[in-house]
Each structure stands twice: as C-alpha cells, then as structure tokens.
Amino acid sequence: MSKILFSHSYYYKLDPKQWKNKMPFPPLGTLYAASLLREKGFEVALFDTNLLDSPNSIVPILEKSKPQYLVIYDDGFNYLTKMCLTNMREACFEMIQLGKKTIAMLSYLVQTQPIIMPNIWKKEPIM
C-alpha cells in the first residue's frame, strides 16, 4: 500500500492573534482524512505544524520517512479563508515546493464540504 504523509499549513506563530491567545486547536480535518485512508489500508503518517516555526520543519520528516505522497489538508472554511490568509497561504506554498523536491505525488486538499475522496486506483468513491 502507498505511504502517505498528511499535514496542514497552519503555524500558530504566524498568526499573532492566535499565538497571543495560547489556545491551539488540533487539525481535525487533517486527522479525519488521514484516519479514513488508514482505515482503508494505506500506510499513513501525520506531521502536525501547529507549534512549529516554519514550513522548513517538514524537510527532515520528508527525508526520513520518504513518503510516496504528501497531502496538505486544510479546512478551507476556517483559517485559510478568514484569519491570516496571506501568512498561511505562503506557508502552504512553501511546503508544496519543499514536497516537490522529494515526493512523486503531492496533493493539496481544502475541505469546505463533507469529505468525499475519490479512489483513484479503483475509480469509485472511498466512502
């Protein structure tokens, strides 16, 4: 089965208002998507960026785990469309560029509706 690394591009330190509040939230959409694929038999790992300093922190993880796929999954309703849009979008673009250097397939998902992930291997929905 494919080796997939899930992540997101929310760095609390890039959001001064939220960093000041000191109340981080787990990346639930990313966790749900990763758990769905794990349930379907894929080898899945998670890289949580919440309390890290920069997108460059993913490089050692990519080099060590050597995933076949990097999925950057974000909840489009929340921070990418409302809070610190530019900072988080730039962080995401940087992660994409870093991923392209080491990974064969890269996917960026923004979830604004219920999760329905197409199964590209069987031509039918996973759910």
Side-chain angles (χ1 to χ4, degrees):
M1 239 346 137
S2 299
K3 203 170 172 184
I4 305 168
L5 177 62
F6 274 84
S7 191
H8 59 94
S9 63
Y10 190 78
Y11 293 82
Y12 274 92
K13 291 182 180 182
L14 299 179
D15 185 341
K17 181 180 175 185
Q18 291 301 323
W19 186 247
K20 183 180 175 186
N21 288 340
K22 298 190 185 309
M23 214 165 119
F25 298 97
L28 293 179
T30 308
L31 292 168
Y32 290 144
S35 68
L36 174 66
L37 290 186
R38 179 175 284 151
E39 184 180 287
K40 298 298 179 181
F42 290 89
E43 185 179 340
V44 173
L46 179 73
F47 179 68
D48 185 6
T49 64
N50 276 337
L51 300 176
L52 300 175
D53 293 325
S54 81
N56 288 320
S57 54
I58 198 170
V59 172
I61 304 302
L62 293 171
E63 291 172 350
K64 182 179 178 184
S65 66
K66 297 184 181 6
Q68 292 172 290
Y69 303 92
L70 171 62
V71 176
I72 303 172
Y73 182 97
D74 284 310
D75 178 351
F77 176 75
N78 202 355
Y79 51 84
L80 285 182
T81 58
K82 293 186 178 179
M83 302 179 301
C84 284
L85 177 61
T86 303
N87 289 346
M88 301 310 161
R89 185 173 35 205
E90 291 301 320
C92 183
F93 290 157
E94 191 172 340
M95 289 176 73
I96 290 169
Q97 291 306 311
L98 293 166
K100 283 181 177 180
K101 293 178 181 177
T102 58
I103 298 189
M105 179 68 77
L106 188 121
S107 179
Y108 175 67
L109 302 173
V110 175
Q111 187 262 326
T112 56
Q113 301 295 321
I115 302 170
I116 299 174
M117 299 177 70
N119 185 337
I120 61 173
W121 298 275
K122 293 185 180 178
K123 306 259 191 246
E124 61 188 46
I126 288 177
M127 292 179 50

